[in-house]
Amino acid sequence: MSVTHNAAESRYEMKADHGLAIAVYRQQGDARIFTHTEVPPEDEGKGLGAKLVRAALDDTRKQGFKILPACSFVVAYLRRHPEFDDSRS
């Protein structure tokens, strides 16, 4: 499953078995504020959310933007992967 950046919708998307998993952000200056992550209920617990968020954060960094979490899933991900957390800078 690959992750795509849907810039028109300000979100990252990944096709799952039962729908679309999304990581939504709001652009604010040189930062992307991640506001919502959603995985179809039937696909939860399979690691799709972590894969989606990892790809979104990698791409955000490659584009030169800071990462700011406002979504509980992204906050939890950043606790496990503090190298991505720009809110601590």
Side-chain angles (χ1 to χ4, degrees):
M1 294 182 202
S2 65
V3 175
T4 58
H5 181 209
N6 182 340
E9 296 288 329
S10 297
R11 68 186 190 187
Y12 288 85
E13 304 171 341
M14 180 174 58
K15 290 183 182 177
D17 291 336
H18 298 94
L20 196 63
I22 58 171
V24 181
Y25 65 87
R26 184 178 74 243
Q27 190 73 40
Q28 186 173 314
D30 67 345
R32 284 195 179 148
I33 303 168
F34 284 84
T35 59
H36 180 69
T37 304
E38 186 175 321
V39 173
E42 301 88 352
D43 294 312
E44 290 178 357
K46 298 177 182 177
L48 300 179
K51 179 180 178 178
L52 172 66
V53 168
R54 173 75 184 217
L57 300 183
D58 278 340
D59 187 63
T60 295
R61 277 282 168 79
K62 284 178 189 171
Q63 292 187 37
F65 297 112
K66 291 182 183 177
I67 296 164
L68 299 176
C71 159
S72 60
F73 188 90
V74 176
V75 168
Y77 185 90
L78 292 177
R79 271 193 214 115
R80 293 187 309 274
H81 305 276
E83 67 274 15
F84 285 108
D85 192 355
D86 293 325
S87 67
R88 296 174 182 215
S89 331

